[in-house]
Structure formats: C-alpha cells, structure tokens
Amino acid sequence: MNFLEFNDVTFTYPAVEGDLDENGKQIEPKPVFEHFSAELPKGFVSFVGQNGCGKSTLMLLASGRLTPESGTVSLLGQNPATLGDEQKNLLASVIYQNMEFETEDKVSELLSFVYQNGALKGNAQAIRGSTSLTTQNYSLLDEVIDVFELQNVLEHPLTKLSKGEIQRVLLAFGILYGSASLFMDEPLFALENYQKENALAYLKEFVHKTGTTIYISMHELDLTKKYADTVLLFYPNRDMALGTPEEVLTRDEVEKAYGVPYAMLKDHENLSREYLNSLATQKGESQS
C-alpha cells in the first residue's frame, strides 16, 4: 500500500463573486487538477515549484482539508475528507502559510495543550535525549522547546510574537500533536538560515526515528537537496517529477519548472517569493 494515493482527482476552486474579466463577465477558475492520479511515498518528502503550481492545493486535498469534485484520495488507506475532525487531525496535521491566532494564551500553555490532547497524550520521550547529565525525564516537549529555540517566548502570547517566532511555535505544534503525517506549507519562510538548517535536520531525524511522514514545501532548493528523502517537482503545466533530489533537481528540470535560466538563480538557490517575482519582472521586461 502506498502512503498517499490520488485516483482520477479533479478539483477547481469556486468562482469569486465579483471577480470579473475586462468584459465584465464572471471569471470561472480553471481546474487546478484534472483527472490527476499519483502515488507518493512515505518519508521526508519536499514539494518544489514556483508559486501557483498547485503545491498547497495538493497538500490540502491529501490531508482532507479540501474535497475533490471527483476522484478519491487515500492516505494510509483512509479517505481523509470523510473523517471527523479528530480522526482527520490524528491522520494528518497541517501547517498553513501565514496562520493567524487571536488567543492570548501563553506559548507554554498552548504547547502543553497540543501535547496533551493529540495522539501522544503528553507522553513521549525526546528522540535525541538530553545533552545534560543532570536532566531527568527529558521529554519530547522539552526537546522541541530547545530545538526550535522557544525558551524566551514561553510566557508570551502568540499575538506578541514575530513571524519567525510564530513559525517555530507552529513547527513545535506539528511535532507535539503526534499525527501519522504532517503537511507543512512553507513553514520556514521567516526563519534565520541557521534555524532552517536546525529545523530540517530535526524534522528529518524525527521522520526516520518515529515513522512519521512529513510533506513539506519550501523554496530553498539547496536545503531540499540536503535534507529531503524524496522530491516532488511541480511544473507550470501541472506535470510533476518524483524521485530523489539527485534525480529530480537537475539543471534542466529546475529551469523547466521555474521558467528562468539556471544561471539567474542565486548561488544558494534560495527561491524566495520576492526573488521569484523579481525574476519574472526581469523576464517580462526583456521580452517587451
């Protein structure tokens, strides 16, 4: 049994009322996926491709947060869209882009709540163990606080945190809930470079030691090459390539996926939203 299967899936976002073309007619969105079938493996899998290519939609369909118009999705042998909220969350947790919170609860209280009320029920040992000989019963909660550098924000509400701090808390939430799979949509965008490295190293270790599967989208090709077990590369025409980083992230395939010459990419291939937008602008100007 494959970990994740799409069988003849078609999905289109609903039309936005008042979204009109130049002739005043309602714009009808095109399908994001049409008769799409695929089989994806377990492990630490990176989704790569330019904005708007379908990465986020695929994650939401796979985790049951969106329901296809036709066709079926199977995650660990279950159709997540048919499950109740609790069963769905235990099967698949999702970290969305730019999640917002209004709660004034402290970070420490929220971390404990997620840890106690997920699959782990507040009872999981750290996967690495404590580096301190004086620390007893070093838990997974203790470990994620250390790994994601949350010590200084534990007594603060989420509403008072920076974007980078919020993203690190969200990463901790994902680990502490204990779902069978995690879908992370650009969770590293506001982190410092060393924090991205630390987070990815830990997530990959967590996958291999616990059997959890993580699907993650990020623009940093250098980090995908370094940490991902498998890469799903999205092309603008909705075609995809699946394989190891070495197999998929070749010069020709990256150029095909991003629509710009490989030489125009930054040395460390950090494909941020701002950088990709600037490349698109340059390309448009050169053709005008």
Side-chain angles (χ1 to χ4, degrees), residues 107-108 111 141 143-156 161 164-173 176:
V107 169
S108 59
L111 290 172
L141 176 58
E143 184 169 70
V144 298
I145 289 172
D146 288 343
V147 169
F148 299 122
E149 299 181 349
L150 302 178
Q151 298 91 338
N152 293 333
V153 301
L154 291 176
E155 299 307 307
H156 300 168
L161 302 188
E165 290 167 342
I166 290 175
Q167 291 306 117
R168 301 203 306 274
V169 171
L170 291 176
L171 288 166
F173 285 169
L176 292 173

Side-chain angles (χ1 to χ4, degrees), residues 1-235:
M1 179 181 68
N2 290 294
F3 192 88
L4 174 60
E5 297 182 6
F6 294 84
N7 182 24
D8 198 28
V9 167
T10 295
F11 177 81
T12 308
Y13 285 103
V16 177
E17 186 176 355
D19 191 7
L20 309 177
D21 63 17
E22 58 185 10
N23 297 316
K25 294 183 178 180
Q26 175 70 51
I27 296 176
E28 298 295 335
K30 296 180 179 179
V32 181
F33 296 105
E34 195 166 14
H35 301 294
F36 171 69
S37 295
E39 299 176 351
L40 302 183
K42 62 182 180 180
F44 194 40
V45 183
S46 179
F47 288 5
V48 176
Q50 59 182 298
N51 294 323
C53 66
K55 302 189 301 294
S56 299
T57 303
L58 191 68
M59 286 191 175
L60 295 176
L61 288 167
S63 60
R65 272 57 178 187
L66 291 176
T67 303
E69 299 163 44
S70 61
T72 58
V73 177
S74 176
L75 179 62
L76 274 176
Q78 300 184 74
N79 183 345
T82 65
L83 301 177
D85 289 343
E86 183 177 358
Q87 291 75 20
K88 186 183 299 182
N89 290 334
L90 291 173
L91 181 64
S93 291
V94 181
I95 294 178
Y96 303 92
Q97 295 181 36
N98 297 317
M99 294 179 74
E100 296 182 358
F101 302 88
E102 296 181 357
T103 177
E104 292 298 319
D105 291 342
K106 296 178 181 178
V107 169
S108 59
E109 296 168 345
L110 294 171
L111 290 172
S112 294
F113 180 84
V114 171
Y115 188 37
Q116 295 288 337
N117 289 276
L120 301 177
K121 301 303 179 186
N123 184 27
Q125 292 298 309
I127 64 168
R128 291 176 174 173
S130 174
T131 57
S132 172
L133 297 177
T134 62
T135 302
Q136 300 291 324
N137 300 321
Y138 190 65
S139 70
L140 185 64
L141 176 58
D142 298 322
E143 184 169 70
V144 298
I145 289 172
D146 288 343
V147 169
F148 299 122
E149 299 181 349
L150 302 178
Q151 298 91 338
N152 293 333
V153 301
L154 291 176
E155 299 307 307
H156 300 168
L158 283 178
T159 53
K160 301 300 182 182
L161 302 188
S162 68
K163 284 188 176 294
E165 290 167 342
I166 290 175
Q167 291 306 117
R168 301 203 306 274
V169 171
L170 291 176
L171 288 166
F173 285 169
I175 293 295
L176 292 173
Y177 193 79
S179 301
S181 59
L182 272 166
F183 292 83
M184 298 183 167
D185 195 0
E186 295 189 39
L188 309 178
F189 75 93
L191 273 61
E192 300 290 338
N193 287 334
Y194 82 91
Q195 292 172 334
K196 294 179 181 181
E197 293 263 3
N198 290 342
L200 289 170
Y202 183 76
L203 292 175
K204 183 170 184 176
E205 187 176 352
F206 186 81
V207 164
H208 291 170
K209 288 186 175 180
T210 67
T212 305
T213 284
I214 293 179
Y215 293 95
I216 183 172
S217 69
M218 53 184 173
H219 285 307
E220 296 87 349
L221 291 185
D222 56 330
L223 296 181
T224 288
K225 290 178 179 178
K226 185 174 181 179
Y227 292 103
D229 298 326
T230 306
V231 175
L232 183 63
L233 180 63
F234 290 66
Y235 301 106

